[in-house]
Amino acid sequence: MTTSRTPARKRLHLAAHFPGVNNTTVWTDSESRSQIEFDSFEHLARTAERGRFDFFFLAEGLRLREHKGRIHDLDVVGRPESLTVLNALAAVTDRLGLAATVNATFNEPYELARRLATLDHLSAGRAAWNVVTSSDAFTGENFRRGGYLDHADRYTRAAEFVATARELWDSWSEDGTPRPFAHRGQHFDIRGEFTVPRSPQGHPVVIQAGDSPAGRDFAASAADVIFTRHGTLEAGRAFSADVKGRLAAHGRSHNSLKIMPGVTFVLGDTAAEAQEKAHHIRRRQVSPQNALLAAEQIWGTDLSHLDPDGPLPAFDPDPGARLTQGRTRLGDPQEIADRWRALSRAKGLSLRETVIEATGRQSFIGTPETVAAEMDAFVTQDAADGFILVPHLTPGGLDDFVDTVVPLLQERGAFRTEYEGNTLRSHLGLPEPARGRGVEGSTS
Amino acid sequence: MTAHSRPPHLAVALDTPGAPGPFDAAPYVRLARLAERGTLDFVTLGDTFTRPGPDALAVLARVAPHTARVGLVPTVTTTHTEPFHVATAVQTLDWVSRGRAGWQADVSRTPAEAALFGRRPAAPAGALWREAADVADVAGRLWDSWEDDAEIRDAATGRFIDRDKLHHVDFRGTSSTGEPFSVRGPSIVPRPPQGRPVIVVDATEDAARETAAARADVALVRAEDPDTAHAARTELRARAQELGRDPDHLRVLVSLPVELPAAGDAAGLADLLTDWHAAEAADGFHLRPADPERDLGRLVDGTVPALRRRGLLRRAYPGTTLRDHLGLARPAGRYAAVRTGEAS
């Protein structure tokens, strides 16, 4: 075996996503508990730490989704504010990284840098920030900052936001006193003194999700971890090669950015049992009502007269429709409609079956042995550096994975058996960022 | 109701005056647990954007799982922040503490604070406090925007929530620099355990007093003598009544600096609090130790037992939420009442 002679075997990273607002959470399951009480967050975080995971990941909501002019009522909805939950989780965990999704459009650098630095101190170096942006005036209606930013400005503001936060995180001198900073750029003109010293891991870990060329460049220039959706081995290898290929232009090494797709998983005692379970879960995720909703989101028109067990609409989508608000558009409606119809025709699927088939996310489905082997293969073949697991049950959805798959990954030498360091950067094998030169007068 | 007819409420500040707050959690956890051993109603932690120290709400969220009863009241300013973020963060503190969250609403006065944001200039105190009242108002509306039973999990219809029990708040307010602002709502967070976390306002300054009378559950008053405190309490209650509130839903606490360099001073403090209470100065006391690490231990081991012997402090918490400790009922959601009213 070559592996036994290869000390630098590539190990994978694991993170846990708290299954929140989406139609993948099976809230009708008898084991489904509160989406909001602290016990639920504590259970999942403790399970992730028991499994020696790198970090625990929270998404963000800033406006409840609306559909046909009414608040959307079919999926799990309602979630607490991420940073506050993570500060509380810092009290009940010791090593687990704590990652908050926080929007760079509806926040200001000084305040958010301070909140993130505080979490990093109070967790002794375990904080991460998943930077997201919005150009959505619908969401902006909850903020006095207002809503609208051009798509292009989203990333320039986000990039300047992250750079400004890094200046603030670096602004205390080595001897522990604040130094004045001043930043003047396209989006921010701020000056003063930051109130928090450099954090135990230098800077909080920066995570970014984004697949457009602008998003990939932003990740290559500024992120420590990139959260992706590329599910297949081939797509993952291509994405990984592309994004890592952009690092050198920013003076960064191949290992300074970790690629972690969000994935689901279903475990069974046999392959057939796992497939059957996965099918059952998908049927519960895509209820008849949810199937119609999914089609309405593409067609942009009321389809409540359709039978979800019947065929897809015979007419084309309305290109200008704004039936659904607060949800990311996944692509061109006409293109999706064409693809769905082709799928339906080819396999003889009803509307609901088509939605089930077309909207499934990357999944590892199988026995603990095959899932461990597949995940390991993804990582050793450079399709990813690890995974952010998205369970379909709150809060016990990670229990089986940690009890069965993690030990097998550990036996293979593909995953740590103990934390080797205390900070999230140490778990991810990321260097502590060098102190920026950056204080007064450092920016244009 | 006279201030005399109930035992006084007791709260304590965890701030270290004149020094940056610690940046690790252990000292805060130790102090909050000490306060809980003394069955104090709540602890406060101050905050500004210019004083070195960590974010106060984050610190008290970090403390929450290490404590079970004591109320947690961080300062969050309203001048440069987004009302929606402030409301959901405080609401979340109530969830993670299982009903022990408060919020000391404050304002950012200085040009130095304004320069950290670069969005708007500093404004006069009156305008800042009017804006703070608007922010407290919209926060209360966001906290009410989910009715308590909005999550229905109705598998038969596939509905997780009853959307008729979620409400846009459509709030319109005015910022301290005169521009209108609006918040659409509803909150993204379900209604928290206390319904509404407890709002605390330091009403010492005239500019803050109207906001306290209109929006606070607890008003703090800094006073040199019992008569001044009593007068402030009387004025706040009268103003609250004029604004249509039941004055008995407002607790007025005298905020007193304390320094206990010796054990005897802790007993002396009990005498002083007893005298102020007898003089009907207020509904209770918010103590601000000069050195929390030293003074809070003496307070809990010296002052607290003396007050208990005199029947001026409970021996155990009467309930689990901060509202329970303060004797404040859990408010009904305003939108639920409107909807039911329309239906009947």
Side-chain angles (χ1 to χ4, degrees):
Chain A
M1 293 285 288
T2 52
T3 49
S4 61
R5 295 199 305 271
T6 311
R9 183 194 198 290
K10 191 174 174 192
R11 287 184 163 191
L12 58 83
H13 298 278
L14 290 173
H17 178 89
F18 184 88
V21 175
N22 54 50
N23 59 2
T24 57
T25 304
V26 181
W27 55 263
T28 50
D29 194 287
S30 62
E31 289 181 26
S32 170
R33 303 277 176 261
S34 173
Q35 293 288 137
I36 188 82
E37 283 178 31
F38 185 63
D39 286 353
S40 290
F41 293 91
E42 182 172 356
H43 179 100
L44 198 83
R46 282 185 186 274
T47 306
E49 186 163 84
R50 181 161 63 82
R52 307 292 182 259
F53 278 38
D54 292 61
F55 61 91
F56 175 90
F57 184 93
L58 284 177
E60 178 188 53
L62 296 176
R63 176 94 194 251
L64 296 181
R65 283 157 23 201
E66 296 190 5
H67 182 67
K68 294 196 268 194
R70 304 183 69 191
I71 289 167
H72 176 54
D73 61 358
L74 294 180
D75 300 337
V76 161
V77 65
R79 55 178 148 202
E81 189 270 317
S82 298
L83 281 166
T84 304
V85 172
L86 295 178
N87 277 299
L89 287 176
V92 297
T93 54
D94 291 318
R95 302 291 189 94
L96 185 68
L98 302 165
T101 301
V102 189
N103 200 293
T105 307
F106 301 114
N107 281 281
E108 297 302 317
Y110 184 86
E111 184 187 13
L112 182 56
R114 186 167 177 268
R115 297 186 74 203
L116 289 162
T118 296
L119 175 64
D120 215 9
H121 280 278
L122 296 177
S123 66
R126 298 187 279 140
W129 172 29
N130 178 37
V131 186
V132 293
T133 63
S134 173
S135 59
D136 187 346
F138 173 78
T139 305
E141 286 178 1
N142 278 338
F143 297 96
R144 60 179 168 188
R145 191 208 171 287
Y148 195 73
L149 271 182
D150 279 339
H151 187 83
D153 286 344
R154 288 165 58 183
Y155 282 117
T156 61
R157 180 180 161 102
E160 190 179 332
F161 198 122
V162 173
T164 307
R166 291 194 188 279
E167 288 173 43
L168 294 168
W169 293 332
D170 281 347
S171 70
W172 284 45
S173 62
E174 308 261 0
D175 66 7
T177 51
R179 290 182 298 180
F181 73 87
H183 172 99
R184 175 180 287 184
Q186 183 188 346
H187 294 275
F188 309 111
D189 180 3
I190 63 175
R191 65 191 61 244
E193 282 180 9
F194 196 50
T195 61
V196 187
R198 197 167 148 97
S199 76
Q201 57 176 348
H203 296 177
V205 168
V206 172
I207 305 173
Q208 201 260 328
D211 200 21
S212 67
R216 290 179 187 205
D217 254 341
F218 174 43
S221 70
D224 299 303
V225 174
I226 184 162
F227 174 38
T228 76
R229 278 173 180 270
H230 293 276
T232 66
L233 193 70
E234 297 70 32
R237 285 173 62 92
F239 178 80
S240 181
D242 177 73
V243 173
K244 295 208 171 185
R246 294 168 190 251
L247 289 168
H250 300 280
R252 301 180 61 190
S253 72
H254 188 79
N255 282 329
S256 64
L257 177 66
K258 305 297 175 189
I259 296 177
M260 299 182 71
V263 297
T264 60
F265 58 91
V266 180
L267 302 172
D269 290 338
T270 64
E273 188 197 309
Q275 285 295 345
E276 193 180 320
K277 258 172 82 177
H279 181 71
H280 185 59
I281 289 165
R282 291 292 294 142
R283 301 269 308 168
R284 288 202 286 178
Q285 287 167 335
V286 185
S287 64
Q289 297 91 341
N290 264 320
L292 279 179
L293 171 79
E296 285 178 342
Q297 286 171 346
I298 304 301
W299 265 263
T301 189
D302 184 353
L303 300 175
S304 54
H305 59 283
L306 288 189
D307 176 3
D309 295 319
L312 289 163
F315 50 91
D316 283 342
D318 173 358
R322 299 280 297 167
L323 204 61
T324 299
Q325 296 198 282
R327 188 184 179 93
T328 314
R329 269 173 71 154
L330 298 172
D332 173 55
Q334 185 64 52
E335 188 267 321
I336 295 171
D338 291 344
R339 188 152 40 84
W340 285 17
R341 283 185 186 136
L343 182 66
S344 168
R345 269 195 308 276
K347 297 196 177 180
L349 302 179
S350 70
L351 188 158
R352 183 181 177 200
E353 289 163 339
T354 305
V355 174
I356 287 172
E357 183 108 359
T359 63
R361 295 178 65 177
Q362 159 63 21
S363 270
F364 289 98
I365 300 168
T367 65
E369 289 77 11
T370 59
V371 167
E374 251 190 278
M375 286 187 158
D376 189 17
F378 250 77
V379 169
T380 52
Q381 294 176 46
D382 292 325
D385 295 300
F387 304 96
I388 298 177
L389 303 182
V390 187
H392 66 272
L393 275 182
T394 307
L398 209 57
D399 297 2
D400 284 354
F401 188 94
V402 164
D403 290 335
T404 62
V405 182
V406 166
L408 294 169
L409 288 169
Q410 290 168 333
E411 274 174 34
R412 298 170 74 93
F415 190 63
R416 69 173 68 86
T417 53
E418 278 305 329
Y419 290 109
E420 287 129 27
N422 294 312
T423 67
L424 176 53
R425 280 186 188 279
S426 70
H427 307 338
L428 289 166
L430 294 168
E432 189 173 307
R435 265 174 197 275
R437 295 181 309 281
V439 282
E440 193 153 22
S442 69
T443 46
S444 53
Chain B
M1 189 185 296
T2 66
H4 198 75
S5 57
R6 276 190 314 252
H9 297 284
L10 207 52
V12 66
L14 302 185
D15 312 270
T16 309
F23 291 97
D24 66 319
Y28 301 105
V29 170
R30 194 166 57 240
L31 292 171
R33 292 175 71 118
L34 204 49
E36 187 165 270
R37 185 151 67 75
T39 61
L40 303 193
D41 285 23
F42 60 91
V43 297
T44 61
L45 189 61
D47 203 356
T48 78
F49 286 119
T50 46
R51 183 214 57 188
D55 177 81
L57 189 141
V59 169
L60 295 185
R62 177 68 175 75
V63 163
H66 294 287
T67 53
R69 291 289 182 271
V70 72
L72 305 168
V73 183
T75 293
V76 184
T77 70
T78 58
T79 307
H80 301 294
T81 50
E82 286 286 354
F84 192 85
H85 290 322
V86 172
T88 55
V90 172
Q91 200 175 359
T92 300
L93 182 61
D94 207 43
W95 277 108
V96 301
S97 66
R98 301 181 173 94
R100 296 183 284 132
W103 164 31
Q104 183 165 347
D106 202 353
V107 298
S108 302
R109 301 151 191 273
T110 64
E113 288 162 289
L116 296 169
F117 288 80
R119 282 174 60 179
R120 34 217 288 247
L128 292 171
W129 279 107
R130 280 193 293 279
E131 178 185 47
D134 276 358
V135 174
D137 188 5
V138 70
R141 290 171 190 277
L142 288 167
W143 296 337
D144 281 353
S145 66
W146 290 56
E147 294 182 29
D148 287 316
D149 53 356
E151 183 183 312
I152 52 171
R153 295 192 183 227
D154 184 23
T157 60
R159 293 179 306 147
F160 185 76
I161 50 159
D162 178 349
R163 60 183 160 204
D164 292 336
K165 294 182 176 177
L166 269 64
H167 305 274
H168 292 117
V169 304
D170 285 324
F171 181 83
R172 290 180 188 283
T174 306
S175 80
S176 56
T177 43
E179 310 92 25
F181 71 92
S182 59
V183 178
R184 176 85 165 121
S187 180
I188 50 159
V189 190
R191 199 159 191 256
Q194 294 187 98
R196 291 176 218 147
V198 169
I199 295 180
V200 179
V201 172
D202 187 330
T204 307
E205 203 183 41
D206 274 348
R209 204 156 278 184
E210 181 80 5
T211 300
R215 300 287 160 215
D217 301 294
V218 176
L220 305 180
V221 176
R222 298 181 190 222
E224 301 283 321
D225 59 81
D227 289 347
T228 311
H230 179 83
R233 178 176 185 270
T234 304
E235 185 197 331
L236 279 161
R237 288 170 58 89
R239 194 71 196 99
Q241 189 145 34
E242 284 165 29
L243 291 165
R245 298 182 63 193
D246 180 343
D248 287 337
H249 294 171
L250 175 64
R251 302 280 174 266
V252 181
L253 308 189
V254 200
S255 188
L256 296 171
V258 299
E259 190 160 7
L260 305 173
D265 299 313
L269 177 61
D271 292 339
L272 178 115
L273 298 183
T274 304
D275 291 347
W276 281 57
H277 181 64
E280 302 188 7
D283 300 302
F285 305 95
H286 171 245
L287 305 177
R288 293 180 283 119
D291 176 357
E293 288 282 350
R294 176 198 66 198
D295 295 338
L296 192 52
R298 295 203 169 131
L299 181 78
V300 167
D301 291 329
T303 311
V304 160
L307 291 174
R308 283 179 178 157
R309 279 195 297 276
R310 295 169 195 178
L312 291 181
L313 184 67
R314 62 179 161 241
R315 288 167 194 279
Y317 285 102
T320 60
T321 72
L322 176 52
R323 284 187 177 276
D324 291 339
H325 311 339
L326 290 165
L328 295 170
R330 187 180 191 275
R334 70 198 77 190
Y335 301 102
V338 168
R339 194 171 56 85
T340 314
E342 281 170 357
S344 63

